[in-house]
Amino acid sequence: MDETITPAERVRIGLSGWGDHDDIYEKGTKAGEKLGMYGNVFPIVEMDNSFYATPSPERMEKWAAQTPDSFGFVVKAYQGMTGHARGKSPYPDSRTMFQAFRESVEVLRQAGKLSAVLFQYPPWFDCERKHVDILRRTREWMDGFPLALEFRHQSWFAGEMREKTLAFMKEEGWIHTVCDEPQAGEGSVPLVLEATREDVSLVRLHGRNTAGWHFSGQPNWREVRYLYRYSDKELEEWKEHIGKLLEKTRECWVIFNNNSGGDAADNAIQLMDMLGMKTPEKPPGQLSLFGEGEL
């Protein structure tokens, strides 16, 4: 590993989505202009709209063109590919669905802007042989693409399964997604500061709103689940956690998903500052990012 590269140069920090973070945009910014402005603030983004519908290759081309050459997308896998989808599928079969998604993300890969495809599985996807088989099939059908894996059922990391799960991910080439989330029973996973690939680890910070974590089914469940602001102390802890991950992997990508109350951007820039990274200037008319007492 190149000793001249500082830890801060091995960390990329960004947000989940680019449309909901008003504090980083000039007032009156149109929706179609936000990604281009986002790319001037953060070097990486989690594309979450791909979870609800697979973007067309043409749309991917447009998004790739709006971002800097060094920019990276973590593309969230379409919900039908991870067992989240309900109702009639828009695809005739699973292979067609995966092929459509491959054609979509291939555009970003060709542009050099695909960081990873994130497969986040639901809380009912527990540690069973049939689910291991699904992971193997997914890895096969997505061959050639960098894939990140996130669980939402604690059985994958319970007892002796912890080491077996990590060994499986190393063997299959999955990027481990390290999660910071409420410890709220079976439907959440513990903090596992381990890398499964030498090149990169992914961190997703969901907040610690324990009361709102299992609010699914309610009309405003997203607003409640990710309503959380990390404190200075908690971010200092994450500074140390990132340092430990960098002892095991070359790069660390950090995505803030605590979007509900508008806290993600502030927290992300706060962590960038703690790590000695260059932080962006506030846009005209926006004071919340850097006003005294705001962070």
Side-chain angles (χ1 to χ4, degrees):
M1 190 173 292
D2 189 347
E3 305 243 346
T4 64
I5 299 176
T6 66
E9 292 175 303
R10 296 162 55 199
V11 179
R12 306 185 98 193
I13 296 176
L15 313 176
S16 177
W18 61 80
D20 298 329
H21 313 287
D22 292 339
D23 285 349
I24 65 175
Y25 305 119
E26 297 178 15
K27 291 187 180 300
T29 300
K30 297 178 181 178
E33 300 172 340
K34 287 185 175 181
L35 178 57
M37 296 182 68
Y38 176 100
N40 293 325
V41 179
F42 297 107
I44 194 168
V45 72
E46 179 185 303
M47 183 187 294
D48 57 357
N49 48 10
S50 54
F51 176 78
Y52 301 100
T54 298
S56 68
E58 293 75 19
R59 180 163 291 186
M60 287 294 206
E61 288 178 2
K62 179 180 178 181
W63 288 334
Q66 291 176 348
T67 53
D69 291 343
S70 60
F71 192 80
F73 290 89
V74 175
V75 183
K76 199 168 184 181
Y78 171 62
Q79 59 183 334
M81 299 160 65
T82 53
H84 286 88
R86 294 290 180 266
K88 182 176 175 57
S89 172
Y91 301 99
D93 54 60
S94 295
R95 283 307 295 260
T96 303
M97 174 174 60
F98 271 78
Q99 184 58 34
F101 194 85
R102 284 181 62 95
E103 293 171 2
S104 175
V105 294
E106 176 65 19
V107 173
L108 294 180
R109 185 170 71 159
Q110 290 294 327
K113 295 185 178 182
L114 178 65
S115 295
V117 177
L118 169 63
F119 280 81
Q120 178 203 301
Y121 287 89
W124 54 89
F125 192 86
D126 57 357
C127 187
E128 295 185 50
R129 172 61 60 185
K130 64 180 181 180
H131 291 152
V132 173
D133 291 342
I134 287 174
L135 293 175
R136 291 188 189 279
R137 185 193 67 183
T138 297
R139 176 71 270 187
E140 177 185 349
W141 287 1
M142 292 297 295
D143 184 49
F145 292 94
L147 304 184
L149 178 57
E150 178 177 341
F151 295 112
R152 282 283 173 88
H153 195 284
Q154 64 179 215
S155 59
W156 295 95
F157 295 113
E160 64 180 14
M161 291 311 302
R162 180 182 188 275
E163 297 307 316
K164 291 182 178 180
T165 295
L166 292 170
F168 168 78
M169 293 171 70
K170 289 178 182 178
E171 178 184 344
E172 294 287 310
W174 290 95
I175 298 168
H176 179 213
T177 304
V178 180
C179 295
D180 186 282
E181 61 191 40
Q183 296 307 292
E186 289 185 344
S188 57
V189 295
L191 178 64
V192 180
L193 289 173
E194 295 293 343
T196 53
R197 285 179 39 156
E198 294 182 355
D199 55 344
V200 68
S201 291
L202 175 64
V203 172
R204 296 183 79 218
L205 301 171
H206 299 299
R208 301 176 183 179
N209 185 352
T210 304
W213 189 246
H214 296 305
F215 215 65
S216 299
Q218 301 298 320
N220 63 336
W221 71 273
R222 285 189 175 280
E223 297 174 16
V224 175
R225 170 175 279 190
Y226 302 112
L227 183 60
Y228 191 81
R229 187 179 185 90
Y230 285 93
S231 67
D232 289 357
K233 181 180 178 181
E234 289 166 339
L235 291 178
E236 287 287 355
E237 290 173 354
W238 264 106
K239 176 183 176 181
E240 295 181 11
H241 292 336
I242 290 169
K244 291 178 181 178
L245 284 172
L246 290 177
E247 294 173 2
K248 306 171 184 180
T249 192
R250 188 166 61 249
E251 289 188 22
C252 185
W253 305 331
V254 182
I255 299 293
F256 279 83
N257 190 35
N258 56 326
N259 294 340
S260 299
D263 298 310
D266 279 355
N267 276 162
I269 292 174
Q270 188 177 4
L271 181 59
M272 291 169 70
D273 187 56
M274 289 178 176
L275 289 167
M277 302 169 72
K278 182 180 179 181
T279 56
E281 297 180 4
K282 67 177 183 290
Q286 294 286 9
L287 300 177
S288 61
L289 283 178
F290 299 101
E292 287 192 21
E294 291 290 338
L295 292 182

